[in-house]
Amino acid sequence: MQINLSLKQHCIQTSIKKVYEKLLTGYFKKFNVKELIIDIDSIETRIEALKFFLENADFGYLRSNYPELNGNKIVDAVLYVPDNKRDMKILLKDLVIEPKWKNILL
């Protein structure tokens, strides 16, 4: 699964929070699923993945080591989410970033 992120005026953490909150709000307000172009199971899976990322990613590490993720440039990114959430990656145009996890043992 892939989740599109826009880092326009926001760092990676804020961008992920915004997508998470939008999906969560839509889920509980029962958006018309057809408008979201994804089904309920997919929404739940996306919410779980984003929550995992928000709780476990070392955002300070990401922002300091990858200036593209600090919100100072207009960047489109993709959060690639495989079955094993610990293997998530951030995909930029020419770069694949493996996040550093702070709260889990690998």
Side-chain angles (χ1 to χ4, degrees):
M1 163 178 52
Q2 295 185 355
I3 301 172
N4 294 325
L5 304 169
S6 174
L7 280 66
K8 181 180 181 181
Q9 300 176 349
H10 302 291
C11 71
I12 184 73
Q13 186 174 16
T14 301
S15 296
I16 289 176
K17 278 183 188 177
K18 287 183 168 290
V19 173
Y20 174 79
E21 290 168 357
K22 182 177 180 178
L23 285 171
L24 204 57
T25 300
Y27 182 80
F28 287 109
K29 284 189 175 181
K30 300 186 186 210
F31 273 165
N32 179 350
V33 176
K34 291 178 184 173
E35 289 177 17
L36 294 175
I37 314 174
I38 51 179
D39 61 27
I40 293 297
D41 290 337
S42 181
I43 292 172
E44 291 171 350
T45 303
R46 288 168 187 265
I47 289 170
E48 289 173 18
L50 292 168
K51 181 178 184 231
F52 178 88
F53 201 93
L54 286 167
E55 290 175 346
N56 297 294
D58 185 340
F59 288 102
Y61 166 82
L62 289 171
R63 285 187 296 264
S64 65
N65 287 286
Y66 301 97
E68 303 89 341
L69 303 179
N70 67 18
N72 291 331
K73 296 180 181 178
I74 298 173
V75 176
D76 289 324
V78 174
L79 182 63
Y80 171 72
V81 184
D83 290 335
N84 182 352
K85 292 182 187 85
R86 291 179 291 183
D87 293 333
M88 282 193 243
K89 294 177 180 31
I90 301 166
L91 310 175
L92 299 175
K93 184 177 180 181
D94 299 323
L95 187 60
V96 176
I97 300 169
E98 294 190 23
K100 182 176 175 185
W101 304 114
K102 61 180 181 180
N103 294 328
I104 59 176
L105 299 174
L106 297 176

